[in-house]
């Protein structure tokens, strides 16, 4: 190991280590204002000067080399550090005691102290700009901005939204949004990266302002007066004494500000962060150590918590009486639930009752829900919403490689040479995963191919964008596989060693010539050959896919075709390769993992395997049913047929998010007894007989499993709102009133039981998951987990993968002369799913108030439609009224409707057709007729929506432009300019 001497002490270094990291790792101290380990060297602040052999170096910009002798404290280095920091203070008014950022982590405050600055040699100079308050979630104060550029680096190269820059050539540089727009009218997507990394109070969450400090809620005039007083005494007392006062105030804050780690409640990326709270007020979300996300979040995880303290929260159980709901005590409501479930079981048998668990709830809660169904009621009628999206992807992987989960981690997607995205609007549905792909594509030469109906952000960034006809991905994917095999560029060595079934698979590919694929998909043969070429040239390829694949009548087969393609190109078993079906909800992976499925006990152990059943029967001390239960699609049919009479549903807006919503609603109306547990009175609650108020993620403990199979703990940030209860406690109460005798005191005990019965989770426990620690299943008893699957073998008895033949059938519900347009649907960045949570955050509502239907410019012209025109969409199953948004994201006769609406849910239009293998609805196969209505309203997306902004892509903060300023000279004497990047 190379050795470096720092201030006379010799240290061993680590490979590719930056000098600043070595100094910090070994307990040294050198100021560093602009350096942030997750951003790499930015080199704007000049405070990290060190001396080596008489020359000055920026410690953040240089990698360690054997034999270096570094001084961080020599007179030369110290003078340069102080000079650089003086320049910073001329851009920032120190008023720490009355600053909401005075929380012990302000870099400017801490560096003032570290350098023992007593007096400011260069006076503070105000900048000629107003504070920008135009974003609902954060504000920028140019006068406090030290021009470190961390925010620019984060926005340009981590989030890669490319909104921010600094006008280095201007006499008064500042941070710019879209080159000079207000924040509110810029392309800023409010992901919060910039605010998170700002080392001072220049960018602040509005939820902090006036709330974090003891004196910060004072009127502005009073605050200004106090700041003047502080400035007045500074020449005499020096900063030392002033900082002591601010540190006393900071210490007082420690007693009232709680910082609690949680995991995001929205999508399957699994971002984790600390939530800062003062009583029930959420001060801010602080991402820093998340294993999936680091400093990253999207607008929902960073700012979308308006639902927590919303006045609409359910806090009292409700019982329907004579068609109306009345409030009831917990005791009465639970007694009624137990009585009715018990009565139904006696009268019509256990299989007359069904259970829907929630992919928003914890693993432990899904486990208890399926245990209630199986061990207490005696039915396998239990499912979760992965049926609506993920089951086909899981099936494709079960068929081919053995485990139903992402084969690697987000870090593998970053490492890949080629990422192929099929049917996933990743930048909006899995925003933090998209940042990693965008960054590798922008900075590291990663190639990107996107196949989608819409030209969304990832499509616009792609090296190659394919627009196949709806539902035809299977055809072109299989043709690529055949072409690679036919042309001898498949990975035959890998296939020989690791895959079964090649001969049969090859035979199944016979119909998939390039010519046939081009005819079916509409993608030209030449383009498909380019795809094949790019795949064959890539050393490491990852394929990401989502609901654009799975929500089709051949969702399972297309997922299988994807995995087949990865196998024939040898893109499994190595870092930077693999299959990534991106999971939608925060815990949709975990809900299935923990047995909320009609055919599987926890850990994907089949209900009809006597050995498995025996283990659970011994553990639970009951006899278990062996016949597969009903999935949630079959449940709706069974209600209509009169075979299913009772249902207990937790945290799912099923009456809106299941397809053919009118049909589902009619079914719920027929139920003899229906219990809905939720945090709001959802649309589904309207059909309930009893409504039980559950608790959102911030009000309970447990674990979530993200798309990477990453199990992470969430800690209780807030007490449940008075009257609401954590869902696991409610389920336990129901079970006990039915005679179960469960005695779980804490979710950790539930996890211990799961681990004892489920080989896949044998080594999972709360200690191993403490804080930001996590495990990616499968987890062996000794706690060894598998961030990358299949490194030694595939998950089949012989260790080999299976090429699984599929054939082309084609989509259902095709357009005809009456229903002449194809309707696609999906998510929007700002809203999650139907929007029950996100519409309760005011800033999100302000920027994205409603759903709409995207209409192509061609169709708009043909039908006389403009953005804001009201239209009626009519399908074979229902109709909705919605405003049009004319955009070139869609083409020709294809429409797109985001699913975030309670008033006009797209699922009034979708059908009951399903993928026959998994019963996942073919949501994306919907044909409609469009009637233009006479009213023209405002555009459904206001001007302040980020989609109307104009990003300014550039290569990070571009500090070289600062160095070229005529008034710039490096501090100290003898700086060697180095531009080392990590
Ligand atoms: S998109 Fe907006 S919030 Fe996100 S880093 Fe850029 S400027 Fe900041
Ligand atoms: S706003 Fe940006 S440039 Fe200004 S201090 Fe904060 S991170 Fe640095
Ligand atoms: S919604 Fe997804 S990407 Fe956004 S913060 Fe939450 S987990 Fe991360
Ligand atoms: S930390 Fe800012 S230049 Fe090194």
């Amino acid at each position: 190991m190379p050795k470096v001497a720092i201030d006379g002490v010799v240290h061993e270094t680590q490979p590719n280590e930056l000098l600043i990291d070595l100094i910090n790792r070994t307990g040294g101290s050198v100021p560093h204002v602009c350096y942030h380990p997750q951003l790499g060297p930015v080199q704007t602040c000049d405070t990290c000067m060190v001396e080596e052999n008489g020359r000055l170096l920026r410690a953040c910009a240089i990698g360690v080399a054997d034999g270096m002798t570094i001084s961080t404290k020599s007179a030369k280095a110290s003078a340069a550090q102080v000079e650089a920091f003086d320049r910073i203070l001329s851009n920032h008014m120190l008023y720490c005691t009355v600053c909401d950022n005075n929380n012990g982590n302000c870099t400017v405050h801490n560096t003032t102290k570290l350098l023992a600055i007593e007096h400011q040699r260069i006076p503070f100079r105000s900048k000629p700009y107003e504070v920008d308050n135009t974003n609902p979630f954060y504000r920028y104060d140019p006068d406090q901005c030290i021009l470190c550029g961390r925010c620019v680096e984060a926005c340009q190269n981590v989030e890669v939204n490319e909104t921010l820059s600094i006008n280095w050539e201007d006499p008064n540089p500042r941070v710019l949004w879209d080159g000079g727009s207000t924040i509110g009218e810029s392309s800023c997507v409010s992901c919060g990266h910039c605010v998170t990394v700002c080392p001072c109070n220049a960018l602040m969450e509005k939820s902090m302002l006036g709330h974090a400090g003891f004196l910060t809620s004072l009127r502005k005039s009073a605050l200004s007066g106090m700041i003047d007083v502080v400035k007045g005494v500074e020449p005499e007392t020096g900063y030392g004494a002033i900082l002591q006062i601010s540190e006393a105030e900071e210490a007082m804050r420690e007693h009232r500000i709680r910082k609690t780690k949680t995991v995001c409640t929205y999508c399957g990326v699994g971002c984790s962060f600390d939530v800062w709270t003062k009583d029930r007020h959420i001060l801010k979300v602080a991402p820093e150590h998340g294993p999936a996300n680091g400093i990253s979040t999207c607008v929902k995880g960073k700012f979308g918590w308006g639902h927590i303290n919303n006045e609409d929260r359910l806090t009292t159980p409700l019982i329907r009486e004579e068609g109306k709901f009345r409030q009831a005590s917990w005791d009465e409501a639970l007694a009624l639930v137990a009585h009715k479930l018990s009565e139904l079981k006696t009268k019509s048998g256990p299989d007359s009752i069904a259970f829907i668990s929630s992919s928003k709830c914890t693993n432990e809660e899904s486990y208890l829900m399926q245990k209630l169904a199986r061990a207490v009621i005696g039915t396998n009628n239990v499912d979760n919403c992965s049926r609506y999206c993920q089951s086909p992807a899981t099936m494709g992987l079960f068929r081919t490689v053995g485990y139903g989960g992402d084969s690697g981690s987000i870090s593998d997607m970053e490492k890949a040479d080629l990422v192929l995205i099929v049917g996933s609007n990743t930048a909006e549905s899995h925003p933090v995963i998209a940042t990693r792909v965008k960054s590798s594509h922008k900075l590291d030469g990663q190639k990107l191919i996107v196949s989608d109906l819409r030209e969304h952000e990832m499509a616009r960034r792609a090296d190659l964008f394919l627009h196949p006809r709806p539902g035809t991905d299977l055809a072109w994917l299989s043709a690529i596989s055949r072409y690679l095999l036919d042309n001898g560029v498949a990975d035959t060595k890998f296939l020989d060693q690791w895959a079964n079934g090649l001969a049969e698979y090859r035979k199944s590919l016979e119909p998939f010539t390039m010519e046939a694929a081009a005819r079916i998909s509409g993608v030209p043969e030449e383009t498909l050959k380019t795809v094949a070429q790019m795949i064959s040239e890539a050393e490491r390829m990852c394929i990401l896919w989502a609901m654009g694949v799975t929500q089709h009548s051949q969702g399972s087969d297309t997922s299988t075709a994807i995995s087949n393609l990865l196998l024939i190109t040898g893109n499994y078993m190595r870092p930077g390769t693999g299959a990534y079906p991106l999971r939608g909800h925060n815990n949709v992976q975990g809900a299935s993992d923990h047995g909320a499925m009609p055919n599987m006990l926890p850990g994907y152990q089949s209900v009809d395997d006597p050995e498995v059943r025996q283990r659970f029967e011994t553990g639970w001390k009951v006899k278990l049913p062996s016949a597969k239960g009903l999935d949630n699609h079959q449940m709706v049919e069974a209600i209509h047929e009169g075979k299913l009479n009772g249902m207990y549903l937790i945290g799912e807006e099923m009456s809106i998010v299941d397809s053919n919503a009118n049909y589902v609603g009619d079914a719920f109306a027929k139920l003899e007894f229906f219990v809905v547990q939720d945090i709001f009175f959802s649309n589904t609650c309207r059909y309930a007989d009893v409504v039980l108020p559950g608790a959102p993620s911030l009000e309970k403990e447990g674990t979530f499993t993200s798309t990477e199979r990453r199990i992470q703990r969430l800690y209780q940030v807030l007490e449940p709102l008075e009257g609401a209860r954590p869902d696991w406690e409610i389920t336990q109460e129901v079970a006990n009133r039915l005679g179960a005798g469960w005695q779980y005191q804490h979710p950790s005990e539930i996890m211990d039981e799961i681990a004892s019965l489920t080989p896949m989770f044998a080594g999972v426990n709360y200690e191993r998951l403490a804080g930001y620690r996590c495990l990616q299943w499968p987890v062996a008893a000794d706690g060894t987990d598998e961030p990358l699957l299949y490194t030694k073998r595939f998950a089949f008895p012989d260790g080999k993968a299976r090429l699984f033949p599929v054939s082309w059938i084609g989509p259902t519900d095709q357009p005809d002369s009456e229903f002449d347009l194809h309707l696609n649907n999906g998510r929007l960045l700002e809203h999650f799913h139907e929007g029950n949570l996100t519409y309760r955050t005011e800033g999100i509502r302000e920027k994205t108030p409603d759903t709409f239907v995207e209409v192509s410019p061609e169709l708009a012209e043909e039908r006389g439609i403009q953005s804001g025109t009201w239209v009626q969409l009519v399908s074979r199953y229902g109709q909705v009224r919605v405003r049009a948004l004319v955009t070139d994201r869609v083409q020709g006769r294809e429409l797109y409707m985001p699913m975030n609406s309670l008033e006009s849910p797209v699922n009034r239009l979708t059908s009951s057709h399903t993928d026959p293998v998994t019963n996942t609805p073919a949501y994306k196969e919907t044909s409609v007729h469009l009637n233009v209505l006479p009213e023209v309203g405002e555009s459904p997306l206001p001007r302040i929506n980020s989609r109307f902004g104009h990003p300014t892509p550039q290569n990070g903060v571009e500090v070289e432009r600062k160095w070229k300023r005529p008034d710039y000279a490096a501090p100290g004497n003898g700086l060697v300019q180095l531009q080392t990047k990590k």
Side-chain angles (χ1 to χ4, degrees):
M1 274 294 163
K3 293 193 171 55
V4 171
I6 299 171
D7 297 329
V9 182
V10 176
H11 300 283
E12 285 196 347
T13 64
Q14 292 176 352
N16 302 323
E17 194 165 23
L18 288 171
L19 182 55
I20 191 104
D21 289 335
L22 175 66
I23 295 171
N24 289 337
R25 181 171 62 77
T26 54
S29 74
V30 70
H32 50 285
V33 173
C34 70
Y35 181 68
H36 186 295
Q38 293 183 51
L39 299 175
V42 178
Q43 298 194 70
T44 51
C45 78
D46 290 337
T47 59
C48 63
M49 297 292 187
V50 294
E51 186 176 347
E52 195 227 12
N53 284 337
R55 60 181 189 159
L56 287 175
L57 300 171
R58 291 189 185 94
C60 69
I62 183 156
V64 289
D66 197 26
M68 271 180 159
T69 302
I70 299 291
S71 172
T72 66
K73 298 183 172 45
S74 70
K76 193 169 177 172
S78 299
Q81 291 164 8
V82 171
E83 187 183 338
F85 193 65
D86 254 337
R87 296 177 190 179
I88 284 175
L89 286 184
S90 72
N91 274 311
H92 182 94
M93 190 187 279
L94 278 180
Y95 52 73
C96 309
T97 311
V98 290
C99 173
D100 283 298
N101 202 42
N102 184 37
N103 302 300
N105 60 346
C106 176
T107 309
V108 176
H109 175 111
N110 296 346
T111 310
T112 309
K113 193 173 169 196
L114 177 71
L115 289 172
I117 303 281
E118 282 297 333
H119 299 290
Q120 209 167 317
R121 272 178 276 183
I122 313 174
F124 167 71
R125 270 179 292 115
S126 180
K127 300 184 190 75
Y129 309 113
E130 296 296 310
V131 174
D132 190 332
N133 271 307
T134 57
N135 181 286
F137 305 111
Y138 70 92
R139 70 100 179 91
Y140 173 60
D141 184 347
D143 266 353
Q144 296 303 100
C145 173
I146 58 172
L147 298 168
C148 69
R150 278 192 190 185
C151 57
V152 178
E153 195 72 15
C155 185
Q156 288 284 342
N157 289 346
V158 180
E159 157 68 11
V160 201
N161 205 57
E162 301 171 317
T163 300
L164 296 186
S165 60
I166 292 178
N167 49 349
W168 290 117
E169 292 77 15
D170 195 277
N172 296 291
R174 56 161 286 170
V175 176
L176 298 175
W177 277 252
D178 285 2
S181 158
T182 60
I183 307 176
E185 294 203 333
S186 76
S187 59
C188 170
V189 291
S190 304
C191 65
H193 282 74
C194 53
V195 190
T196 294
V197 298
C198 181
C200 60
N201 62 343
L203 283 166
M204 289 278 292
E205 296 87 352
K206 287 186 173 173
S207 48
M208 286 282 280
L209 297 175
H211 291 284
F214 280 85
L215 301 169
T216 55
S217 59
L218 295 176
R219 273 200 336 260
K220 208 169 170 229
S221 54
L223 275 181
S224 304
M226 288 179 73
I227 293 166
D228 289 343
V229 170
V230 173
K231 289 286 154 197
V233 296
E234 183 254 314
E236 251 183 53
T237 58
Y239 277 130
I242 295 172
L243 291 190
Q244 276 178 13
I245 299 171
S246 65
E247 276 160 22
E249 197 263 359
E250 175 212 317
M252 283 162 60
R253 294 187 192 189
E254 273 172 31
H255 294 290
R256 69 171 189 180
I257 296 181
R258 286 188 68 211
K259 298 168 190 171
T260 317
K261 183 239 173 174
T262 192
V263 182
C264 183
T265 196
Y266 291 107
C267 88
V269 176
C271 297
S272 53
F273 30 71
D274 280 2
V275 184
W276 291 28
T277 48
K278 188 181 82 178
D279 303 323
R280 283 196 71 90
H281 177 74
I282 297 175
L283 286 165
K284 71 168 172 176
V285 159
E288 200 175 339
H289 309 293
N293 59 310
I295 55 167
S296 296
T297 42
C298 74
V299 56
K300 300 183 290 296
K302 178 77 181 170
F303 298 114
W305 298 93
H307 61 281
I308 298 293
N309 290 320
N310 192 277
E311 58 187 16
D312 293 346
R313 280 278 306 276
L314 285 170
T315 51
T316 321
L318 303 172
I319 291 176
R320 182 192 293 275
E321 232 167 47
E322 293 169 8
K324 286 200 183 128
F325 285 102
R326 67 162 173 85
Q327 296 190 341
S329 68
W330 271 101
D331 194 46
E332 186 189 7
L334 289 167
L336 179 62
V337 171
H339 168 71
K340 293 297 276 184
L341 292 180
S342 173
E343 188 181 69
L344 271 177
K345 181 180 166 181
T346 310
K347 191 174 76 175
S348 316
D351 289 335
S352 66
I353 306 170
F355 296 79
I356 305 273
S357 189
S358 171
S359 55
K360 284 254 148 293
C361 285
T362 64
N363 288 324
E364 294 76 3
E365 287 165 340
S366 271
Y367 175 83
L368 287 196
M369 192 65 167
Q370 59 87 39
K371 185 173 175 182
L372 170 65
R374 294 182 162 119
V376 182
I377 298 294
T379 179
N380 280 317
N381 291 343
V382 57
D383 207 359
N384 74 90
C385 79
S386 70
R387 185 74 44 206
Y388 300 141
C389 53
Q390 295 302 334
S391 299
T394 305
M395 180 56 67
L397 297 175
F398 276 156
R399 283 169 167 179
T400 52
V401 285
Y403 280 129
D406 286 10
S407 62
S409 305
I410 295 170
S411 58
D412 292 294
M413 302 177 206
E414 285 179 76
K415 283 179 206 137
D417 304 310
L418 171 65
V419 167
L420 169 57
I421 300 180
V422 189
S424 157
N425 181 4
T426 321
E428 301 206 43
S429 301
H430 298 88
V432 167
I433 286 183
T435 67
R436 304 314 193 241
V437 176
K438 290 192 285 184
S439 178
S440 293
H441 185 251
K442 178 175 180 179
L443 305 175
D444 302 328
Q446 183 179 77
K447 292 274 182 279
L448 178 61
I449 303 175
V450 171
S451 168
D452 209 288
L453 301 190
R454 293 169 73 228
E455 198 175 343
H456 48 57
E457 182 185 348
M458 299 312 275
R460 289 200 169 147
R461 289 181 177 273
D463 300 285
L464 191 59
F465 169 47
L466 321 181
H467 177 178
R469 291 197 183 98
T472 61
D473 289 313
L474 183 150
W476 71 261
L477 286 160
S478 299
I480 301 277
S481 289
R482 177 183 160 157
Y483 184 83
L484 294 172
L485 281 164
D486 287 353
N487 287 282
V489 279
D491 191 340
T492 42
K493 198 165 152 235
F494 178 89
L495 291 173
D496 286 348
Q497 191 177 354
W498 290 113
N500 290 320
L502 180 59
E504 202 190 332
Y505 175 60
R506 276 197 93 139
K507 193 158 171 38
S508 76
L509 289 177
E510 270 171 20
F512 295 106
T513 59
M514 282 289 188
E515 187 276 327
R519 186 168 20 84
I520 293 169
S521 68
V523 181
E525 261 187 84
E526 278 318 303
T527 309
L528 293 178
K529 284 180 185 162
T530 308
V531 175
Q533 173 89 8
M534 287 172 74
I535 291 175
S536 67
E537 283 169 6
E539 182 67 19
R540 296 164 297 186
M541 172 175 71
C542 291
I543 305 186
L544 283 47
W545 75 100
M547 293 185 280
V549 167
T550 58
Q551 292 181 337
H552 281 281
S553 53
Q554 280 202 277
S556 293
D557 289 346
T558 310
S559 300
T560 308
I562 287 172
S563 191
N564 285 336
L565 175 59
L566 286 165
L567 284 170
I568 69 136
T569 51
N571 277 302
Y572 272 116
M573 308 185 100
R574 291 177 292 128
T577 66
Y580 299 86
L582 303 179
R583 306 305 193 181
H585 281 265
N586 55 324
N587 201 36
V588 70
Q589 180 72 50
S592 294
D593 293 348
H594 290 81
M597 295 179 85
N599 55 341
M600 303 280 191
L601 282 149
Y604 302 99
Q605 304 181 84
S606 181
V607 293
D608 60 14
D609 181 334
E611 220 176 281
V612 168
R613 261 199 334 275
Q614 171 76 53
R615 186 165 2 105
F616 280 89
E617 285 174 348
T618 309
W620 292 347
K621 300 184 181 55
V622 288
K623 192 90 191 123
L624 290 174
S626 60
K628 175 184 171 301
L630 301 174
D631 60 44
N632 45 20
H633 178 78
Q634 291 165 330
M635 288 175 196
V636 171
E637 293 300 336
I639 299 169
H640 277 296
E641 288 162 12
K643 294 179 188 157
L644 192 69
N645 315 110
M647 183 178 270
Y648 179 5
L649 173 150
I650 299 184
E652 289 293 329
E653 185 58 298
M654 191 164 159
S655 67
I656 285 184
V657 303
D658 197 352
S659 63
N660 202 351
N662 293 329
Y663 187 68
V664 175
D666 290 348
F668 286 163
K670 290 182 184 167
L671 279 169
E672 208 176 311
F673 186 63
F674 189 19
V675 187
V676 178
Q677 193 166 303
D678 211 318
I679 62 172
F680 295 108
F681 191 85
S682 64
N683 191 68
T684 307
C685 288
R686 288 172 43 224
Y687 301 94
D689 296 289
V690 177
V691 176
L692 301 173
S697 63
L698 294 195
E699 295 178 3
K700 58 192 176 188
E701 306 239 322
T703 59
F704 290 153
T705 305
S706 72
T707 190
E708 300 173 280
R709 300 167 282 105
R710 194 185 291 281
I711 308 166
Q712 304 185 91
R713 264 181 85 171
L714 44 146
Y715 291 80
Q716 190 181 56
V717 176
L718 301 165
E719 287 294 320
L721 210 57
E722 199 180 336
R725 293 186 183 181
D727 298 83
W728 66 271
E729 286 186 22
I730 304 171
T731 308
Q732 171 159 257
E733 268 287 326
V734 171
N736 286 345
R737 283 170 189 255
L738 289 162
W742 297 350
Q743 288 178 1
Y744 306 109
Q745 302 296 315
H746 187 266
S748 62
E749 296 167 17
I750 306 171
M751 184 52 85
D752 290 342
E753 180 177 314
I754 295 167
S756 73
L757 292 168
T758 315
M760 209 165 102
F761 304 127
V764 180
N765 63 48
Y766 270 39
E767 258 170 56
R768 291 190 172 129
L769 296 171
Y772 281 85
R773 293 167 72 193
C774 60
L775 294 163
Q776 285 173 273
W777 65 248
V779 185
D782 66 0
T784 310
D785 68 344
E786 297 193 27
L788 180 65
L789 290 176
Y790 319 123
T791 50
K792 298 192 180 73
R793 63 198 313 280
F794 286 95
F796 290 118
D798 64 357
K800 285 191 165 194
R802 298 171 182 172
L803 288 159
F804 191 100
V806 289
S807 47
W808 167 247
I809 297 166
T812 60
D813 205 333
Q814 295 282 49
D816 58 16
S817 56
E818 187 183 357
F819 301 100
D820 56 335
L821 305 172
H822 177 268
L823 177 69
N824 187 11
N825 64 79
R827 293 205 176 117
L828 274 192
L829 170 69
E830 300 89 331
H831 284 290
F832 195 78
H833 229 64
E834 78 290 331
N836 270 346
L837 302 185
T838 43
Y839 274 116
R840 288 178 161 96
T841 292
E842 203 180 315
I844 290 182
R845 233 178 29 242
E846 195 180 299
K847 290 223 166 230
T848 317
D850 203 355
T851 192
F852 44 83
V853 59
E854 288 187 352
V855 177
S856 71
E858 311 88 270
L859 188 67
E861 195 180 339
E862 181 190 309
R863 307 275 170 104
I865 295 169
Q866 63 192 68
S867 289
T869 303
W870 283 93
V871 299
Q872 184 190 41
L873 298 178
V874 185
S875 79
R876 298 179 176 104
Y877 310 94
Q879 57 189 50
V880 298
R881 191 175 166 276
V882 65
R883 273 177 294 172
L885 182 76
V886 180
T887 167
D888 59 6
R889 278 190 292 271
V890 288
Q891 286 180 23
R893 306 176 92 70
E894 290 173 359
L895 307 171
Y896 178 83
M897 196 173 152
M899 61 172 79
N900 46 287
S901 177
L902 300 177
E903 292 76 31
S904 303
V906 68
N907 288 316
R908 289 219 185 104
L909 302 170
T910 51
S911 76
S912 294
H913 294 300
T914 63
D915 167 33
V917 188
T918 58
N919 266 343
T920 295
Y923 291 92
K924 307 280 196 276
E925 293 174 10
T926 303
S927 303
V928 293
H929 171 80
L930 182 150
N931 294 321
V932 180
L933 300 174
E935 309 104 281
V936 179
E938 306 244 296
S939 167
L941 273 186
R943 170 62 192 90
I944 55 167
N945 188 278
S946 62
R947 290 165 185 80
F948 295 110
H950 300 283
T952 49
Q954 63 176 45
N955 187 20
V957 69
E958 296 186 346
V959 67
E960 299 81 3
R961 288 166 46 208
K962 172 182 172 176
W963 296 339
K964 282 190 193 140
R965 281 178 67 98
D967 59 357
Y968 176 79
N973 190 5
L975 171 75
V976 176
Q977 285 283 24
L978 292 166
Q979 313 250 343
T980 318
K981 281 266 173 187
K982 232 181 184 175

